[in-house]
Every structure is written in structure tokens, then in C-alpha cells.
Amino acid sequence: GASSLRARRVAAMKVKATVSSSRRKSRKAYFTAPSHIRRKLMSSMLSKDLRTKYNVRSVPIRRDDEVIINRGHYKDREGKVVQVYRKKWCIHIERVTRDKANGQTVPIPIHPSKVIITKLKLDKDRKALLERKNSATKKGKYTEKETS
């Protein structure tokens, strides 16, 4: 009954009281998310060499990034991102298309979590973002120079 529920609630304390851990609410928030939040939700992993270069694991995908698909039917296909279709939660990649019966070619939608970014399109905002996300710079309070 109610007492057993209360006991269970004490055992598993919430991390943050203001944030719901309800599956229903988090799914609603995800699927009704506005475009500027979808940008962040539609992030992709960086390749090994980019990850070591920037100390960043993943980054929101954008239009001229070059990616390699690592899941599904089109696995190991490479190409440039032609479009980030936030409304449909997908990206369109160059040369990842199929021909319709009437001869028209249509892009195949791919989810950004299923691709790895191999080359970033860098502008000043993207550079600033990588600078901010760089995990090596803000690990400790002191840099190596100060400690020695």
C-alpha cells in the first residue's frame, strides 16, 4: 500500500527534486521539443582522431559535416550532411538515396545517433563550442604548470 511506496521512495532518493524521472513526461518532452532543443538532442559522436584532437565526445550535427554511417542497412557509407531535418529527427546524407518507382530520387533519413562525424564544418561558433566542451581544460582546479 501507501506505506510500502513511501519506504521505497526513501531508499531511492531522487538526484534532483525539480526534475521528473517519469518515462511518460520525458518522452513527451522529447517528442514535443522545440527546434533549438532538438539541435542539442540530435548530436553525433566524433571519430577517434577528432575526439583526441578536441577532447570532446559528441557535438550537435550540422549541415556540412562529413559523416560515416555505423548502423543499419547503409553501414560504412560516407558522405556529407545535406540537411538536418529537425522536424523529422533525421539527417539526409549525400549519395544515401533511393530511386522511387517514377524515377525520382529521395534521400534516406538517418538518425544522427547512428553516424560518426569524421570532418567538422568549423566556424567561430563551432570553435567556441568545442573550446567550451573541451574536457581536458577544466578537469582540475590547477593546470600542470601551477602544480609543478
Side-chain angles (χ1 to χ4, degrees):
S3 60
S4 66
L5 273 173
R6 212 171 296 123
R8 203 176 314 133
R9 197 167 294 143
V10 173
M13 283 280 291
K14 288 187 66 172
V15 180
K16 203 169 176 187
T18 53
V19 177
S20 170
S21 55
S22 153
R23 174 175 162 87
R24 178 191 194 173
K25 286 183 184 175
S26 49
R27 281 178 61 84
K28 179 172 186 193
Y30 180 86
F31 288 112
T32 60
S35 181
H36 70 286
I37 292 168
R38 282 189 189 207
R39 171 181 165 270
K40 223 169 186 175
L41 292 168
M42 292 175 70
S43 292
S44 295
M45 227 164 66
L46 294 182
S47 65
K48 284 259 164 58
D49 47 330
L50 284 177
R51 202 187 310 169
T52 50
K53 186 177 174 187
Y54 296 113
N55 291 308
V56 175
R57 191 171 185 84
S58 67
V59 84
I61 199 149
R62 65 161 290 180
R63 189 150 160 236
D64 290 317
D65 289 344
E66 279 169 41
V67 298
I68 183 164
I69 303 172
N70 66 330
R71 283 284 180 276
H73 186 271
Y74 295 92
K75 190 181 159 99
D76 297 329
R77 289 279 291 273
E78 295 183 59
K80 200 192 242 180
V81 177
V82 182
Q83 184 187 29
V84 178
Y85 207 145
R86 288 187 196 166
K87 191 176 170 146
K88 291 190 176 176
W89 294 103
C90 70
I91 58 175
H92 293 160
I93 300 164
E94 207 172 56
R95 296 188 301 279
V96 181
T97 54
R98 85 179 319 153
D99 295 329
K100 283 177 33 170
N102 62 9
Q104 201 178 0
T105 63
V106 287
I108 303 274
I110 305 282
H111 195 272
S113 69
K114 305 300 173 204
V115 303
I116 292 176
I117 301 174
T118 53
K119 192 157 169 254
L120 287 164
K121 163 109 167 82
L122 286 173
D123 53 16
K124 66 177 200 313
D125 294 326
R126 205 86 182 279
K127 283 188 180 120
L129 178 126
L130 289 166
E131 203 59 42
R132 273 202 315 278
K133 280 189 84 168
N134 184 339
S135 53
T137 53
K138 54 172 185 265
K139 264 288 185 283
K141 288 184 180 171
Y142 305 105
T143 59
E144 283 128 35
K145 285 191 220 91
E146 288 166 35
T147 52
S148 59

